[in-house]
């Protein structure tokens, strides 16, 4: 293992023969340290630390900022439901997102060495970082929207589903109320049973006249049924331009061809079926005389079918937002790790390959440990970044899912700037965020201690 | 090492096949990954080439079967809009100095934290890194007041300072960790030659640290370029950058996907050019550096 | 060699940095130079900054309005759009000490809070006279705080317009209804003919609050509306129950197009007026016309028409409206002159013919409205027996103006779960109690 300890400025031989006096030397050292560190410390102090102090103080005052409120804001914060959801969501983010990004970035960085088209690949994976978070949020919102006409993901799912299953002829059709037919779980059936020799018509609504198949003709009243038959007509009970009498077959109302009609016995078995003709008329034959049947139109005639998953609903929304984050930040991890890899001295790996180690061993025993400083930087940066996450969570969830997707930074924004202007509470939330960072700092502290002891 | 010639054992046939095999698997897997990765961006790009009415009616994949709907009118509208074109220069004037400042101040501070000894150094470093966690919303009001008091509120300078301050913790964190990787022999050698810290910084650390510095520069440039929140509050109509200008063009009611998608792509071009340029630069620097 | 190259790079980078800082310093110095285009005029050489939410076509039209002022007085007026972020932007500018001369905002609550903070300048007596001559008392009251007049209402919107696609209505044989029961019947006719009766975009929440306000104004009347706005009666009041029950009737019926919870308002308009209409009706204010025109598939006045929000329980014609009010932050003659200009009919009459502006100014000549629809909208607004401003813009912003909480969020929950009237009322009351 190479010695990665911080270099110490040990007094080395060969310095000026005439050493300056200790006092001057110390001053000189102080000046050097200051020259390196002061610009950063001044900028940070004035522009970052000062706002933090301001925020801490502000969190002890009330909404308007004039009256001292003590711990009130903190109490409000912790007794609030939304804050708990926010904290819980942030924890979920911290567990899932940084690890996924780092692992993906590592895999990409290592594997891309093998590609001829590595710059193209790097560019493709990195490109999301160049897109503003707002635009990225808008993209994912659009991709995962419910409607399979507009959202890519559902369009793909529905498309695949349609390859394997048939679509219904008359999606969305409903029975006309009050004419003896009812709808139950997709099946449109007669409300009462009828015996053979009887007729059951099905006046339906909810189908566009322009969506009817070409061969749909004027509805034909059913023929008289013999005592082993049940007849009827399935027709669209709507006249173009309105008017007409509900439930009656009139000129202008068209029959619905191609609908399967079942005669269902009391025990649920299907004793006969028919398919409607061009005028919507059907004849079910072969039935037992005197038996009672329910005449039913199976759901497969009307089923809208799989319309995709509601990705943006409260149940899945966090997954979608985290996915968008990974899409953007895996590129960050990849670029950082790739630059760490490229700065790495290859001779150790070559040596171990010569010694007979296989690729996996080379990776786990040599490459990964050498990469650990970069990995730590990436991982810690991502953890802190994720605790602050704001833009994506603000843009992607639709209103109904916002409470489920809430995170602390969004809550802070809503409370401070979203009209209520309760900066006292907002400041308390900001301090909460800072406090939550501390656990991840423990990793770093340990590392520094280790470094020192080398 | 000794002067034995190093002989690599010949790969067996099996190992060779495995080598080829895994290389093409990698190619295929990464190709699939790349395709999926591209889908959102391609979708956005195609969206920017459609009219608002089309965007609201059908999905962007329909352009493959109905290419007639493609149009560049979104782009011509946006690019002929003087608010937008005027803001371009502002964005550059904000992003470039910020990046340079962050790199310069961050690099020297990182050197200090990596190589200079003083009491409390590590704790100070931890405090600096904790500052990474500060969300910038927290500083909006206090710094607005501060800048107002000293008269730079609304100017580009204010935004530059804001972004520089919030970019420093990451810069210091990253570069310090990178600098500590430098082999001590190089530093020892330089000191033996009588070099003081500043010379070591310029002659030894900076060249070796170029990959990390280049990465840092790319990210800082990107983050500053894409920021909207700070710019919204700290600039006015004269100094507003591209992100704010695009935001101001959004319609209050109705969908804005046409404006947003076009804006996103117009805004993305410069950062991508920067990425490309820096990629090549630090590969070169790398090759130069590795000759040591 | 490499060393010299590095030195050059470092030097040039430093040079760019220095240049950048210098350029930014210069650019940041002042807001636009002092020279104006007009050679002379009362306010020649002065620059005024005006901000509002308008962009695109609306911005162009407003800039035409401002241009006349520039030509008449020699002042230069800069317009900036703050998009969606009005309160944040204004607050930020105030914190930094550079507020605009005039801002136009759609939230009277913001006017009230800024006036209370002392950031607004009351209008001069001259402006006050013009306002009192040209506006009805409701508008004057809406622009005042603590008996001082601060605001001039420039733009108004009629939020009681129910838009429908007449092609679809004709196909279904549906006609313009006059009351709520008739309304539900017509929607059912549309539903039967294969289209959804009505499309709702419940994504953000504010369209749902507008529904509530219209229903409540009709079921409870103007006085109760005012009481509820000021939280003099709680949200658990029976009048609120009645309004929510009426809405529940619609939210739980099948004339409502599914998918509303994730649909944005703009998409709801597209569902009715886009290239492939799937629903027959959509409710919102007169700005729907702008959305329809941008989409380009339907034509306002031809197949895109509207009728007044239906009466409920026999209510008289009532309009819930909104608008944008101009408020001043700087106390000087030029600013007040611009306020006076905005209060006079000439300013509105420049924008009106271009379309997209309904003016609350009584003195405006209604024949300048570009088409029958916009005239119909304007006349419905000015002649309504009962007129009330949008409640959600009058209540404290934390309750009535914020996505993700309060009125907006509870209306979304109610939309998803219309059977829970009592629970919704309780949560609304809790949110209101916290905000007032």
């Amino acid at each position: 293992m190479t010695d990665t300890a911080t270099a110490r400025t040990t007094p080395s031989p060969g310095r000026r023969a005439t050493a300056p006096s200790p006092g001057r030397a110390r001053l000189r050292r102080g000046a050097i340290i200051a020259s390196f560190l002061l610009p950063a410390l001044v900028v940070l102090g004035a522009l970052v630390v000062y706002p933090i102090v301001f925020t801490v103080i502000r969190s002890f005052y009330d909404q308007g900022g004039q009256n001292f409120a003590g711990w009130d804001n903190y109490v409000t914060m912790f007794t609030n439901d939304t804050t708990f959801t926010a904290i819980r969501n942030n924890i979920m983010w911290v567990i899932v997102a940084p690890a996924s990004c780092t692992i993906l970035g590592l895999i990409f960085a290592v594997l891309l060495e093998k590609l001829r088209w590595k710059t193209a690949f790097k560019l493709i994976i990195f490109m999301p970082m160049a897109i503003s978070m707002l635009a990225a949020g808008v993209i994912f919102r659009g991709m995962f929207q419910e409607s399979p006409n507009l959202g890519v993901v559902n369009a793909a799912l529905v498309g695949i589903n349609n390859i394997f299953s048939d679509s219904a002829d008359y999606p969305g059709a409903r029975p006309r109320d009050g004419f003896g037919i009812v709808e139950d779980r997709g099946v449109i059936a007669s409300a009462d049973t009828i015996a053979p020799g009887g007729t059951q018509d099905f006046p339906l609504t909810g189908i566009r006249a322009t969506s009817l198949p070409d061969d749909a003709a004027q509805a034909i009243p059913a023929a008289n049924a013999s005592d082993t038959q049940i007849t009827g007509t399935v027709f669209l009970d709507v006249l173009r331009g309105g008017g007409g009498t509900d439930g009656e077959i009139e000129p202008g109302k068209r029959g619905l061809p191609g609908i399967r009609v079942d005669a269902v016995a009391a025990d649920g078995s299907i004793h006969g079926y028919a398919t409607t003709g061009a005028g919507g008329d059907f004849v079910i034959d072969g039935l037992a005389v005197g038996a009672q049947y329910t005449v039913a139109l199976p759901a497969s005639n009307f089923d809208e079918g799989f319309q995709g998953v509601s990705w943006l609903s409260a149940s899945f929304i966090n997954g979608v937002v985290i996915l968008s984050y990974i899409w953007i930040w895996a590129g960050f991890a990849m670029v950082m790790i790739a630059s760490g890899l490229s700065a790495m001295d290859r001779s150790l790996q070559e040596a171990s390959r010569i010694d007979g180690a296989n690729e996996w061993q080379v990776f786990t025993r040599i490459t990964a440990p050498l990469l650990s400083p970069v990995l730590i930087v990436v991982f810690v940066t991502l953890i802190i970044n994720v605790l602050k996450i704001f833009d994506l969570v603000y843009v992607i969830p639709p209103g109904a899912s916002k409470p489920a997707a809430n995170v602390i930074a969004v809550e802070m924004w809503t409370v401070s700037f979203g009209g209520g202007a309760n900066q006292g509470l907002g400041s308390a939330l900001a301090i909460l965020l800072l406090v939550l960072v501390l656990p991840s700092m423990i990793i770093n502290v340990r590392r520094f201690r280790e470094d020192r002891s080398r | 090492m000794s002067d034995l010639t190093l002989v690599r054992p010949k790969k067996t046939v099996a190992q060779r096949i495995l080598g080829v095999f895994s290389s093409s698997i990698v190619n295929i897997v990464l190709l699939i990954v790349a395709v999926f990765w591209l889908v959102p961006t391609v979708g956005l790009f195609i969206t920017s080439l459609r009219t608002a009415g089309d965007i609201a009616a059908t999905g962007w994949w329909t352009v493959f079967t109905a290419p007639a709907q493609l149009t560049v009118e979104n782009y011509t509208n946006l690019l002929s809009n003087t608010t937008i074109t005027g803001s371009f220069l502002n964005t550059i004037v904000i992003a470039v100095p910020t990046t340079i400042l962050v790199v310069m101040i961050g690099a020297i501070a990182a050197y200090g934290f990596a190589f200079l000894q003083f009491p409390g150094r590590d704790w100070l470093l931890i405090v600096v890194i904790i500052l990474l966690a500060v969300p910038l919303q927290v500083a909006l009001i206090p710094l607005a007041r501060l800048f107002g008091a000293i008269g730079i509120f609304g100017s580009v300078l204010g935004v530059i300072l804001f972004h520089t301050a919030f970019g420093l913790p990451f810069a210091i964190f990253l570069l310090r960790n990178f600098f500590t990787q430098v082999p001590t022999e190089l530093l020892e050698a330089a000191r033996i030659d009588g070099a003081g810290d500043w010379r070591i910084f310029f002659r030894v650390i900076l060249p070796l640290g170029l990959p990390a510095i280049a990465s840092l520069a790319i990210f800082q440039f990107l983050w500053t370029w894409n920021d909207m929140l700070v710019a919204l509050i700290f600039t006015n109509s004269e100094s507003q950058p591209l992100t704010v200008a695009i935001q101001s063009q959004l319609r209050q009611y109705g969908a804005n996907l046409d404006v947003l998608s076009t804006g996103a792509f117009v805004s993305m071009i410069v950062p991508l050019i920067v990425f490309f340029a820096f990629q090549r630069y630090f590969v070169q620097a790398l090759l130069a550096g590795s000759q040591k | 060699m490499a060393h010299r190259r590095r030195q050059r790079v470092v030097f040039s980078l430093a040079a760019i940095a220095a240049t950048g800082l210098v350029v930014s310093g210069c650019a940041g110095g002042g807001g636009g130079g002092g020279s104006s285009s007009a050679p002379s005029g009362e306010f020649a050489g002065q620059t005024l900054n005006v901000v509002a939410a308008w962009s695109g076509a609306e911005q162009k039209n407003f800039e035409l309005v401002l241009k006349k002022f520039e030509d008449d007085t020699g002042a230069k007026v800069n317009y900036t759009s703050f998009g969606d972020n009005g309160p944040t932007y204004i607050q930020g500018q105030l914190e930094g000490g550079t507020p605009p001369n005039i801002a136009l905002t759609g939230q009277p609550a913001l006017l009230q809070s800024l006036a209370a903070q002392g950031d607004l300048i009351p209008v001069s007596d001259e402006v006050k006279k013009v306002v009192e001559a040209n506006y009805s008392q409701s508008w004057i009251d809406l622009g005042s705080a603590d008996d001082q007049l601060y605001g001039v209402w420039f733009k108004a919107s009629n939020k009681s317009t129910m838009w429908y696609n007449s092609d679809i209505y004709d196909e279904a044989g549906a006609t313009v209804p006059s009351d709520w029961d008739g309304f539900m019947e017509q929607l059912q006719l549309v539903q039967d003919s294969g289209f959804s009766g009505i499309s709702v975009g419940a994504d953000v929440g504010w369209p749902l609050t507008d529904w509530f306000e219209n229903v409540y104004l009709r079921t409870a009347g103007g006085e109760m509306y005012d009481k509820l706005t000021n939280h003099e009666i709680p949200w658990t009041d029976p009048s609120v129950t009645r309004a929510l029950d009426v809405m529940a009737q619609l939210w739980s019926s099948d004339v409502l197009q599914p998918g509303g919870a994730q649909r944005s308002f703009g998409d709801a308009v597209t569902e009715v007026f886009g290239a492939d209409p799937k629903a027959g009706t959509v409710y919102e204010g007169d700005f729907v016309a702008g959305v329809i025109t941008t989409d380009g598939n339907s034509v306002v006045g031809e197949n895109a028409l509207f009728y007044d929000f239906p009466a409920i329980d026999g209510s008289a014609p009532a309009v819930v409206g909104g608008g944008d009010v101009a408020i001043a932050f700087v106390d000087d003659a030029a600013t007040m002159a611009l306020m006076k200009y905005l209060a006079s009919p000439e300013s509105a009459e420049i924008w009106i013919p271009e379309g997209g502006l309904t003016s609350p100014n009584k003195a405006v000549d209604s024949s300048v409205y570009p088409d029958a629809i916009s005239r119909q909208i304007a006349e419905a607004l000015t002649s309504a027996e009962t007129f009330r401003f949008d409640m959600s813009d009058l209540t404290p912003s934390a309750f009535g103006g914020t996505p993700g909480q309060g009125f907006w969020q509870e209306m979304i929950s109610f939309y998803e779960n219309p059977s829970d009237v009592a629970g919704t009322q309780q949560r609304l009351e809790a949110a209101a109690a916290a905000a007032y």
Side-chain angles (χ1 to χ4, degrees), chain A residues 63 141 144-146 149-150 174 176 204-210 236 238-243 310-313 394 397-403 411 413-421 423, chain C residues 85 87-88 91 95 169-174 188-189 191-195 202-204 254 258-264 267 271 276-279 396-398 401-405 409 412 416:
Chain A
Q63 175 171 351
R141 173 83 184 258
F144 280 92
Q145 63 183 304
E146 253 185 332
N149 288 328
L150 296 174
R174 307 198 33 90
R176 170 78 74 187
L204 301 184
T205 62
I207 306 167
R208 284 191 218 176
T210 48
L236 179 59
V238 177
L239 279 174
R240 301 197 71 161
S310 183
W311 300 104
L312 298 176
S313 67
Y394 196 65
S401 316
K402 278 203 186 352
E411 180 68 9
W413 177 263
T414 313
V415 157
S416 301
F417 292 95
Q423 309 233 337
Chain C
N85 301 296
T88 313
Q91 197 186 352
E95 294 284 353
Y169 266 46
D170 288 343
E171 166 82 19
Q188 187 61 48
L189 280 178
Q191 185 78 15
D192 288 342
S193 75
F195 295 88
D203 163 21
V204 185
D254 50 353
Q262 291 185 20
R263 185 176 302 121
S264 70
D267 286 344
E271 292 288 340
D276 180 22
K278 298 198 189 67
S397 306
T402 311
Q405 67 184 45
Q409 194 62 33
I412 295 178
E416 292 199 291

Side-chain angles (χ1 to χ4, degrees), chain C residues 17 92 117 140-141 152 160 168 228 298 303 375 385 388 417 422:
Chain C
Q117 276 168 229
I140 298 178
D141 292 338
V152 169
S160 296
I168 294 179
L228 189 61
S298 293
N303 68 331
R375 207 170 306 130
E385 262 179 58
R388 287 293 182 280
N417 200 357

Side-chain angles (χ1 to χ4, degrees), chain B residues 95-118:
Chain B
V96 171
T98 303
T99 309
I100 293 172
L101 278 177
V102 167
V103 167
M104 280 177 20
I105 301 182
I108 59 181
Y111 179 91
F113 279 111
F115 302 119
L116 298 180
Q117 282 289 73
F118 53 91

Side-chain angles (χ1 to χ4, degrees), chain B:
Chain B
M1 289 207 112
S2 70
D3 51 12
L4 286 172
T5 47
L6 300 166
V7 176
R8 213 185 256 168
K10 281 243 175 79
K11 276 192 180 167
T12 64
V13 175
Q15 277 178 320
R16 279 228 192 92
I17 293 177
L18 207 60
V20 166
F21 188 55
S22 56
S23 171
S24 56
I25 284 195
V26 165
N27 263 291
I28 293 176
V29 166
L30 290 187
L31 189 61
I32 296 179
V33 167
V35 167
F36 271 103
W37 219 266
L38 268 180
V39 165
T41 320
V42 165
L44 190 73
F45 182 60
I46 295 181
T47 303
S48 70
L49 294 173
R50 306 171 77 210
T51 62
D54 286 340
I55 293 173
T58 56
W60 52 262
W61 52 93
T62 57
V63 299
F64 295 119
T65 46
Q69 55 180 290
L70 291 174
T71 162
V72 289
E73 69 178 53
N74 290 331
Y75 284 96
T76 48
N77 283 344
L78 205 66
L79 294 173
S80 59
N81 185 330
T82 49
T83 317
I84 302 279
T85 46
S87 65
F88 233 106
L89 185 63
N90 283 333
T91 323
I92 294 182
V93 166
I94 291 176
V96 171
T98 303
T99 309
I100 293 172
L101 278 177
V102 167
V103 167
M104 280 177 20
I105 301 182
I108 59 181
Y111 179 91
F113 279 111
F115 302 119
L116 298 180
Q117 282 289 73
F118 53 91
R121 182 191 70 182
D122 286 344
W123 288 107
L124 189 58
L125 177 59
I126 289 179
V127 168
V128 167
I129 295 174
I130 289 185
L131 293 181
L132 252 177
V134 177
L136 45 79
Q137 289 99 319
V138 152
L140 290 174
I141 303 265
L143 291 187
R145 290 206 195 148
L146 179 65
F147 288 176
I150 60 180
I152 60 174
F153 183 81
S155 74
V156 175
L157 182 59
V159 185
I160 292 176
L161 286 177
F162 194 113
H163 284 306
T164 305
F166 276 81
L168 277 176
F170 176 67
I172 295 176
F173 183 38
L174 172 69
L175 293 181
R176 181 255 174 209
N177 271 30
F178 197 88
F179 289 170
T180 54
Q181 300 295 298
V182 172
T184 38
E185 305 91 61
L186 293 169
L187 291 159
E188 295 292 334
R191 286 201 194 281
I192 288 170
D193 287 345
D197 285 302
W198 278 100
R199 280 186 88 186
I200 296 180
F201 176 71
F202 277 109
R203 296 284 191 90
V204 179
I205 300 299
L206 215 45
L208 285 178
L210 272 175
I213 290 180
S215 306
L216 172 67
I218 295 174
F219 289 123
Q220 186 59 49
F221 185 84
L222 266 183
W223 292 329
T224 316
W225 184 272
N226 281 330
D227 157 76
M228 207 223 17
L229 209 51
V230 177
L232 178 68
I233 299 200
F234 284 78
T235 62
N236 53 37
S237 58
E238 307 272 330
S239 52
Q240 68 183 5
L242 197 50
T243 41
V244 180
I246 293 175
Q247 188 74 359
S248 73
Q249 296 306 303
L250 298 183
R251 309 175 193 100
Q252 241 185 330
Y253 306 109
N256 281 303
L257 208 46
D258 51 336
V259 176
L260 280 175
S261 55
T262 314
F265 271 90
V266 164
S267 179
M268 201 167 47
I269 295 175
V270 170
L272 281 183
I273 294 176
V274 166
F275 175 70
F276 249 133
F278 269 79
Q279 271 283 291
R280 234 188 266 154
Y281 178 62
F282 83 65
V283 166
Q284 276 177 17
L286 223 49
L287 291 176
S290 66
Q291 302 309 348
K292 281 221 168 104

Side-chain angles (χ1 to χ4, degrees), chain B residues 253, chain C residues 138-139 142 153 156-163 206-222 225-226 229 283-287 306-310 312 315-323 358 377-378 380-394 407:
Chain B
Y253 306 109
Chain C
S138 327
W139 293 107
L142 283 166
W153 286 91
S157 64
N158 177 339
K159 290 191 176 182
S160 296
T161 53
M162 189 73 69
W163 293 82
W206 56 265
L208 300 177
T209 64
D210 292 345
W211 271 100
F212 175 83
E213 288 147 14
N214 272 293
V215 171
Y216 189 78
L217 184 58
R218 287 163 176 74
T219 56
Y225 187 98
D226 293 333
T229 307
Y283 158 69
E284 244 311 331
D286 50 11
F287 41 81
F306 79 91
Y307 50 83
D308 297 328
F309 198 96
I312 309 178
S315 58
V319 167
V320 173
T358 305
I377 293 172
L381 182 71
T382 45
S383 65
E385 262 179 58
T386 317
F387 170 81
R388 287 293 182 280
F389 201 89
D390 185 331
M391 192 192 292
S392 56
D393 289 330
L394 291 174
F407 198 10

